[in-house]
Amino acid sequence: EIQAILMNTSARLFRRFPFTLTCAARLSPADFHSPFLACSSGQFVASTRKLHVEPKSSPAGAPERLPFSKVTDEDLAYFRKILPGRTITDPDLVESSNVDWLKTVKGSSEVLLRPQTTEEVSQILRYCYNRNLAVNPQGGNTGLVGGSVPVYDEIILSTSLMNNILTFDNISGILTCQAGCVLENLSLYLEERDYIMPLDLGAKGSCQIGGNVATNAGGLRLLRYGSLHGTVLGLEVVLADGRVLDCLATLRKDNTGYDLKQLFIGSEGTLGVITAVSILCPRKPKSTNVVFLGCETFEELLKTFQLCRGMLGEILSAFEFLDSECMRLLNTHLKLPNPISDCPFYIVIETSGSDPDHDSQKLDNFLEEAIASTFVTDGTVATEESKIKALWSMRERVTEALTHDGFTYKYDISLPVERIYQLVTDMRQHLGDRAKSVVGYGHVGDGNLHLNITSPAKDPALLAAIEPFVYEWTASCQGSISAEHGLGLKKRNYIYYSKPSQAVALMGNIKAMLDPKGILNPYKTLPDNLK
Amino acid sequence: MHSNRYCNRIIVLPFSVLLEIRVKPDNSGVVTDGVKHSMNPFCEIAVEEAVKLKEKKLIKEVVAVSCGPQQSQETIRTALAMGADRGIHVEVAGKDYETLGPLQVSKIMAALAKKEDAQLIILGKQAIDDDCNQTGQMTAALLDWPQGTFASEVSLDGDKVKVVREIDGGLETIKISTPAVLTADLRLNTPRYATLPNIMKAKKKKIANVKPADLGVDLTSRLEVLKVEEPPQRQAGVKVETVEDLVGKLKETGRI
């Protein structure tokens, strides 16, 4: 039984959040030479192993291959010299690094490099820069916008073997580690020392901290601990020409010149390869509670949010929502029963604090007020492990339920909080019978909606109805067409919906300055028509 | 036809168990200071069953009893939020709590059952931290009441109780007369979530405080814990590069 309890405790650590999958938008299965796979119910379409040469570019299709050099035997000999045993060319081994997690995009790289040190990364990039060879940095390969895999024959530079924790200061809570450390491993390391990582997401078992930083990953704790732009204190980055930029400070405050690390956070591997990270970690909470509430209208949900902020503010660590359509899918496909009565909207609230007695007092006061105010029509509370997990799974497993409902078009949108659900309502009205289910859920506390639309099978007509309607709607509220996932390959051309052209032009200038030959993760993040 | 003369009162005994097990440095026991407690899962099922019977109007009142220190009150509150009518907290703290085992608890339960004139006692089949699976059986013996243990189905029929028990060979159905002791197994039911209105109501329900001495119960333990050890640490595996290496390693460690 001690085993069972240990499992229950460790199960708490492996709390999983759903992948916020985004739509494989604009995929064109028609073009056989395209590196995109047809995403039909997870079918895996193998692409040819030869290098792609001059595919036709269509509005929805792959960008043309830029004139980078191609890998020669001499190149391989050099790589094998500096990375003995870690220069992979066996097609079977390179295969999995060529395909993204969603199995919707596939490249045709023939070389996978696995450095162990910053020095090796520097040597690789210096060589590739001189030879004009394109490089695709890759961490855990869990990205959802096709940014982590090659489009053509870019050399894959994997950080997987750079997985050492360098230092941890348990007074300041500052952790430094190599970029290839898996997020979950870092969490386990820290939990033993009574700390936690400032971010947590569903992919934690595979994603690496370097990739998290490169994509400015959000996740469930953002509401409480803020984004990586705030919690990352320093970075060590190797630039396109091999120069090592050492900004790996472990200082909480350092206003000496321009804060260069901010450029690389969220740059998706296009400005430099992150090789080490120093990050500020919060203490592990002593008391966690989860509340599951039901509301009649979205307005009342927002009022509950305000009440919550006011009464639970300092202990609030998550505020998520799902709609009744999500609950229907959970009931139908996963046989998960509703913990409370049927309501149009559901909220999951989590509190984390240092004193169980204080927290339950605050929580009780909030709940009494919430019921009295009639913002909330029903609800339940969990204070212990298995119940907490059960309530969280109502939110976490929506993605899984959606996969059983049919082919899913996924959108990850940032909007002003009060407008979040309007998009779902408008989309439902706009699509009418054309869609099977239209659901909304997500990090309402952060203004981040996950809009998902299902149909029995992949449906180009439905896609045409959804896009660009969803992007235009988002742009009309000055929202973001990609709240957390980044642009990668799939969304690079939609950047103008959320950023003015001046801004995008300046991004192009910065890219040109840091990577004049454009060898770092080409075809990603910035739009094709950038001058 | 059900007669209200029978099954007026059920006593449930929800136990709280430790959520995290760490062995004390001197191997004398497990660390209990500052470790979170929560209701034993099987006891949750027991409480749920009692509340269900009350909802079916087969019994009049559900009393939740817990033995332990101050924090046992939380466990009783949870039972009240699920639908129990009132609670009894039998205060056992400090050294006495460390040595509190099934024998002592069953003596307490027997005394309470007589005092409260209960017709049914429902407990979880075992606590998940010590796995004893003895309290229910001992209580029945002390009271000389019939017992239906490992219950996966319970139905009241006049003054008899039909119990379907999970046993090694399959399922056994027995009929026992009340008053009786039942212990709940996993498949008896799925405990409900306590809804907010009930959680609020539970705060107003009464929890009486009782000392074991008041019940005439002697808590001395007849057991002495000699040592508590953790299971052996799992050794990491070794990765080898080639088949030859694998064969070599197997030979090295004497496996082949």
Side-chain angles (χ1 to χ4, degrees), chain A residues 1-2 5-6 9 12 288 293 339 364 367-368 371 376 378-381 383-384 387 390-391, chain B residues 18-21 36 38 44 126-129 131 191-197 199-200 203 231:
Chain A
E1 273 332 304
I2 291 183
I5 299 195
L6 283 176
T9 346
R12 173 169 25 125
T288 309
L293 301 173
D364 285 344
L367 291 173
E368 271 189 50
I371 299 180
V376 165
D378 198 358
T380 185
V381 186
T383 48
E384 60 92 20
K387 284 261 153 56
L391 288 182
Chain B
L18 296 172
L19 282 183
E20 232 181 78
I21 299 285
K36 201 165 177 198
S38 81
E44 266 186 327
Q126 66 199 57
I128 60 171
D129 55 5
D131 257 357
R192 67 193 58 195
Y193 287 95
T195 59
L196 278 184
I199 294 173
M200 295 297 142
K203 293 188 197 301

Side-chain angles (χ1 to χ4, degrees), chain A residues 106-250:
Chain A
K106 179 172 176 163
S108 45
S109 171
E110 300 189 336
V111 185
L112 167 64
L113 301 178
R114 301 170 124 206
Q116 281 173 327
T117 65
T118 306
E119 182 51 36
E120 286 172 357
V121 175
S122 171
Q123 286 176 305
I124 294 169
L125 285 182
R126 194 178 318 132
Y127 183 84
C128 290
Y129 186 77
N130 290 334
R131 276 278 296 129
N132 199 26
L133 290 165
V135 175
N136 186 143
Q138 185 180 89
N141 194 7
T142 56
L144 302 172
V145 286
S148 52
V149 292
V151 180
Y152 294 105
D153 57 324
E154 300 91 278
I155 294 170
I156 304 171
L157 178 63
S158 166
T159 50
S160 295
L161 293 183
M162 300 177 63
N163 57 7
N164 291 318
I165 294 174
L166 301 172
T167 65
F168 178 65
D169 177 343
N170 72 353
I171 295 179
S172 61
I174 297 176
L175 173 78
T176 63
C177 60
Q178 286 186 302
C181 290
V182 172
L183 184 61
E184 188 165 68
N185 293 345
L186 293 175
S187 292
L188 290 173
Y189 174 88
L190 288 171
E191 296 223 14
E192 281 171 20
R193 292 156 177 78
D194 211 33
Y195 279 82
I196 55 172
M197 284 297 281
L199 81 164
D200 193 13
L201 47 152
K204 69 182 118 181
S206 311
C207 66
Q208 297 169 12
I209 190 68
N212 289 146
V213 173
T215 55
N216 190 26
L220 269 121
R221 291 187 183 151
L222 192 130
L223 182 77
R224 171 69 166 259
Y225 303 113
S227 89
L228 287 171
H229 280 294
T231 51
V232 169
L233 299 180
L235 289 180
E236 181 191 66
V237 182
V238 178
L239 301 174
D241 61 3
R243 279 177 298 158
V244 178
L245 182 67
D246 179 7
C247 289
L248 196 62
T250 52

Side-chain angles (χ1 to χ4, degrees), chain B residues 138-155:
Chain B
M138 283 182 179
T139 310
L142 288 169
L143 289 166
D144 198 26
W145 287 6
Q147 54 184 275
T149 54
F150 307 103
S152 68
E153 225 183 277
V154 167
S155 43

